[in-house]
Amino acid sequence: MRIIAGKHRGRILSAIRSDGIRPTPDRVKESLFQILSDRLAGARVLDLFAGSGALGIECISRGAGEVLFNDGSRESLAVLEKNLRLTGERARATCLDFRACLKGAEGTFDLIFCDPPYREEYLAEILSIVKERGLLRENGLVIYESEREETGAEGWTRADSRKYGRTAVSMWKL
């Protein structure tokens, strides 16, 4: 797992070694960040299921202004913190259930990355909480990664959708 572009380009990150964990493949990250490239400069980002932090650290590398990391696993958080030290970056990281994180989040975000375990279907619930709490800035996106395309929630529009092998990435806007 590596950082693809920006100030940390080529940096190899530590990975989580656990069954059921699958990092976003480099080719998926590369395609995703080509789509998002114009949105990253100065962006405020929430990496809701951060894992090793690869997506959020890629955002930092490409010029995001602030990235907040969250993961429900202490093991994942330890790897994330190791990767932040590796890159010399500082960021806030919490170890909360995604619902608690969203319900306690302050301010608004330009991008919210959601890469939950593939067997879970959290999209509609996440979109509902984000809308209810007003967590997304105007023109912001919720980026959701899963094994299959899922339906959104009331009031949301699918802005983009891509399939990469068994990985489906959808982008949602209000």
Side-chain angles (χ1 to χ4, degrees), residues 18 26 34 37 39 43 64 67-68 76-77 83 85-86 92 98-99 103 106 118 123 126-129 159 169:
S18 178
D26 282 351
Q34 283 179 337
S37 63
R39 296 173 171 268
V67 177
L68 303 175
S76 294
L77 220 54
N83 285 331
R85 284 191 305 274
L86 248 164
R92 195 172 116 218
F98 75 91
R99 295 169 192 92
K103 289 178 181 175
E106 295 177 5
Y118 274 7
L123 177 61
I126 289 168
L127 294 177
S128 293
I129 296 170
V169 178

Side-chain angles (χ1 to χ4, degrees), residues 132-152:
E132 174 186 306
R133 297 255 4 269
L135 295 175
L136 200 62
R137 290 182 178 163
E138 186 175 342
N139 298 317
L141 291 174
V142 173
I143 299 104
Y144 192 85
E145 186 177 328
S146 66
E147 266 187 328
R148 64 203 158 287
E149 287 196 26
E150 296 182 35
T151 55

